[in-house]
Structure formats: structure tokens, C-alpha cells
Amino acid sequence: MTIPNDIAITPALVADHRLKPDEYQKILDLIGRTPTYTELGIFSAMWNEHCSYKSSKKWLKTLPMTGPRVIQGPGENAGVVDIGDGQAVVFKMESHNHPSFIEPYQGAGTGMGGILRDVFTMGARPVAAMNALRFGAVDHEKTQHLVSGVVAGIGGYANAFGVPTVGGEVEFDASYNGNILVNAFAAGLADIDKIFLSEAKGVGLPVVYLGAKTGRDGVGGAIMASAEFGDDIEEKRPTVQIGDPFTEKRLLEACLELMATGAVIAIQDMGAAGLTCSAVEMGAKGNLGIELNLDMVPVRETNMTPYEMMLSESQERMLMVLHPDKEAVARAVFVKWELDFATVGKTTDDLRFRVIWQGDEVANLPIKELGDEAPEYDRPWTQANPAPGLAAGDVPQMDIADALLKLIGGHQIASRRWVYEQYDTMIQGNSVQRPGGDAGVIRVDGHSTKGLAFTSDVNPRYCQADPYEGGKQAVAEAWRNLTATGAEPLAATDNLNFGNPERPEIMSQLVHAIKGIGEACLALDFPIVSGNVSLYNETNGQGILPTPTIGGVGLLPDWAGMAHIGFAAENQAILLVGAPDLRGTHLGQSIYLRDLFNRRDGAAPHVDLPHERRTGDFVRKLIRSGVVTACHDLSDGGLGIALAEMAVASGIGARIERLEGQDPILQYFGEDQGRYLITVNLDPHGDAMKSLWAEAKTLGIFCPSIGTTGGADLVLGAARPVSIADLKAAHERWFPDFMASAAD
């Protein structure tokens, strides 16, 4: 068979497509000839790291992905979990790291657009969004520009589309100077019997292109995201897509309307690698071939080549397989919404992927092998080498009040209000807990009491010191955040951000983090139902901190009974639930050491998973019983910061008892895991409190009363009192001051 090929395929061209010599040889062996330029692009798109998961696939298979509520696990556009009453929550998290560093506004905005399409492709209406953002050092020359652009891009897209942003993270570290992270999360609601998948079915059925026109923006974006940055980073700007949230909103409404007609057999978002990946995945999953006629593809630029059309990542586009007798109905829906509708191909029974352009066949490839035969590597990795613990007695001292004010007013702990107030957190009218707490909570529209809680978390410092414990901790922290609202944690999505997997030490981070994640998910009945892997996050050989972000979803039977972090009233007992004792023992890798003493040493804290489970279940039971008036899990900054955040959120102070013989630095700033602070509306000497303590003792949970709410100050033992007004001012001031300095 001869296919026209006007461009010579040279070793240099192969290398430009990020294909190794042995991978190119595998292509030659598969097709028995030299590929056309378009075919080379197709293979490069399908076999790159971003699309094929060739370095991580082996390890991802070890994660727990099933459970009694899981309807759809990894392998589709998003995960699907049963929330009762015939409803399901559909959700996923995905990265847009490389594009957001190159062009922050468009990169972050189209990252949000892509994750929203992943959700409504499944037939779900998006109801919540989050984002987990990592930027470089606060004094780096690009950081303020990137923060401003990314936040504006996310807000500009999500606000215009009409989905509330209910939570997220923003952190700074020098390891992200040359490679920021933008991880976007979206969740939607659907009826269980109306979930749509991407598996094509039936021979000779129309393959239909829907949405916006195809342009040259984003050509090669997935290939770019599968390599580390170098000095040529500015040359990659054209690979960043351009988004239009208003078109996406119309696409959402048109897709949901079309789905209701029964016309849709299969549907796939055109995300990474655009038309190529969507068509190949639909056909391969259904054991069918696909034939495309590029002359029918709607384009917005002249003289586009087949290579450009196949690899374009223009936004707001879908590919569907439709019932042929309902094609006219479908077309009418999209005409109504003023969106392109074009029959661009058909399904076939020969397992070939054919692409026709101007009467020539520019690609004819085995469709299954494009996906199934992508290289899968068992890359070398080194054994774990966790950081050693701190030496006994190595506790640098500082005035407790000064430390508290500096930490709560520092870049790690300070309020992110400047960020989230640029997002519409209340649109749709169902948000009942906004950003700033442990998790965002929405009401389930159309249901009188049911609520959903959302959170994302990871501590890259812990993952750097010990990827295995850090992976466990990321899952446990997300599980804990949901529990702290009273929600039952249902399932998780992961976004695994690492450096170059071809370096054994980086591959080791990935392997051990996945092992920790898997163990924690099993212990906590918190399966991974969707996710994304983002590798090669480094510039000129400098990698990011390992950052396996975990997004979690929880269910509240009655959102009105949820807990908040702010103290609810004065003269209520404060209980520390889950600590091994009152000493506070773990200062290694803490914010106290890093931000006050510029130290990044010590071991990551150990996560005792059985203890996490017992403690979390106990706290959730107390919240649902109605005795808990406020709840906050302990994380960065330990007990002192958790108390300060609860006080700032409410304007109510607290007095914590002095504990004789304990080192107050360890007590207040140690980052021991599996702990919660709760306040209760119980008589400290009454039978109900005694019953609570008896149950905790039976479960092996330490649950002492450590103080009382009230007053205008936070008093930590013998330390100098700190006014809530001063804490609040410090907490709220840092971010606006930091961003205002960018304009000076």
C-alpha cells in the first residue's frame, strides 16, 4: 500500500516528535512501512507520556479502583459514584501544568474547560469545581505574574461557564520556579441510568464532530506536556490552546439536550491530542475501526494540513457516534445552540484508523495497536531512602506568640481570600460551605437534605522526605478534611505530578507515592475512580517536589448538620481527638522549621491508617449526633495554627490549659497526624461527656479536653496572649500585600 507522503521522515523529525529510536522501530514493525507525516504525528500523540501513561501504567494498575458505590472507575472521561436516590456524582482531576506556565491565563482557563468537558461528556451537569495550584518562591521574578494570570484564567472560565469554585489549594515553593502546577477538578450530577460512555458501538454509524471550529491553537500540546522544559520555553507558546467559556456553556446545554433524545451511542471530549485521541479511543474501546474525512471538519483557519487538523487541541469540541435515524434531530439541537455539527466519518468493522484528506488517504493504521501497543515501561527506580528523623532535643525555640503570628501571616498559612474571591463561589445557589474551611460543601439540587463535600490535598514536603508516607498522608488528609465536615468519604481522584521518570530517583518517588496512596485508599475505603499523571515537570534538569494531589468527594445525608471550622459560641469545651498523647512529637518537615528557621530536615510524619480510620469514624459519628459545634483537622502548623484558624473564622478566642513538663513548641507546632479539634455543647462534668470519653477510650482514642472557647484572645498555656484581631489582620494581610507589590 502506498500513501502520499511529501515530508521525509528523518531521525531528527522523529526525535522532534518525542519518539525514541526503539519506539519508532516499533512503529515500523507494526505498520510494515515508513509512516506518513500525519501518521507520525498520530503515533506521537497517542504514544506520548501524557496520553499513554507509558511510565506509570504498571503502577496505576495497583491502585484500588472499586467499591460498593463505584459505578465507573478509571478508563473513562471521569469516575462515577453512587450517592443514592438514583443519582451519581461524576468527577475527575487533571493537570494543565506546562501550558499554564507558558501562558498562564489561557493555560489555566482551558485546563478548567477541559475538566468540565470530561464531566459533562458523561452526561452530568457540572455542580462544583476546585483547583490545586503550586507556584514558585514568593520572591521569584515570575511568581506574581503567574499567580495573577492563573487565578484570572480559572475565574474567567469557571465564572462565565457558571460553575461554583468551592475549594482548592495555593502553595509556594522554589521547586516550582520553572514549572508551576495547575490541577483542575470538576464534579457533576447525573442520573445513574443516564451515564454516557466513550465506547463506540455498531458498524457504519455516523461519527459526528460537534462544538467549536478547529484552529491551529494547541497543535502538539500533548507532545509538549510529555517533555521537560528547556531554554526554548517561549517557542512553545503556540502549543497553548485558546478557550471560550461561553461556547463551552452552549456546548454543555446542547450535549445534555441531545443526550435526552436518545441519539447518542458514544461520546468523547476532544482533549489532549484532539481529534486523534478522541477518534482512536472511541473506536478501540468498541473493537471497531474509524474512518474520518477531514474535508468535512469545520475549520476557522485556511490551508490547514491534515497533520494540523489531527493534532489541534482547539477547545470546546466533542466527537460522537450517533444513531443514524436521529442524525437530523441531533443536527437541529446544535443548530439551535449555534454550534458546528458535521458528520466527519463512520465506524467500520476492520479495526483500521483511516484519515482521508482531499481525496487522499493520509493515514491508515491499526486502531487497537495505536492505544494497546503503546510502549509500556518498567522504568528503573531506586529503593526508598526516607529522610532521617531529627536528633533528640533538636527543637529550635521561639516565642510562641511570635511564632503563631508569623506562621498564620506567612505565605504558607495566610488566607487565600484574595484568590477565591475572584471565583464565583455561589453561582447555582447550592454552595453551603465556601472556600476557607476543610472542605467545600454544596446541596444536591432537587434533594431536601443531601449534600456533597469536596476537598483536595497533598503535602509535597512530606513526599520529598518520604514518598511512601507522603502518599499515605495525602489520602489521609483528604479523607480527614471530608470527615471534618461530617461527610462520609466516598471516593477520590488523583493528579500525580512528578519530574522526569527517566531518572531512577524520580521514578522511585512515583512508585513509592503510589504504594502509599494505594495502601491508604484500601485502609480508608476510599477508592481512586479517576485521575491523571503529569510527568516531566522540570526545567533544565530541576524537578518539582513530588506532588501527588488527591481530590476527595464525600456525602452528607443532611447538609444542615455539617460542621464548620469556626468556634460556634463561648464557654464550650475544646477536645483534641486522636493525638497519641498531649506532647506533640513530630517537628520534622514542619512549617515551623521551614518557614521560621529555613530548615527542610527531619522525617515525614508517620500515618497510622487503622488509627486514622477509627478516629475519623468516631469524629464523624459525633458530628452527626449533633454534639459537635465546630471541627477542624490538624495539618500544617499543628495544634497552634488549627486553634488560630478556628478563632479567626469565628472571632471567638480560646484559652488552652498549660501542660506542665511539655515542650510547648512540640505541643503547639508539631505535625502529628490523625488529629482533630472539636468543640462540644456538653457539660464538661455531665454524663454525656463522660459517655463520650468512655466510647473514645474503648476505641483506643485519646480525647482530652484541652481548653475552653471565649474572650478576645487566644491564650496558649503560659504563652503571651494574642488578640484575635491581630491574628485576623496577619492572616488576611499577606496575600493582598504580596500581589499589590507586583504593581509597585
Side-chain angles (χ1 to χ4, degrees), residues 23 211 270 340 535 546 628 735:
E23 294 174 341
M270 287 194 224
D340 278 293
L535 304 179
V628 172
F735 224 115

Side-chain angles (χ1 to χ4, degrees), residues 571-575 622 627-630 678-682 689 692:
N571 300 313
Q572 293 194 338
I574 303 170
L575 277 59
L622 291 178
V627 304
V628 172
T629 55
I678 62 172
T679 56
V680 294
N681 55 2
L682 299 177
M689 183 71 89
L692 185 157

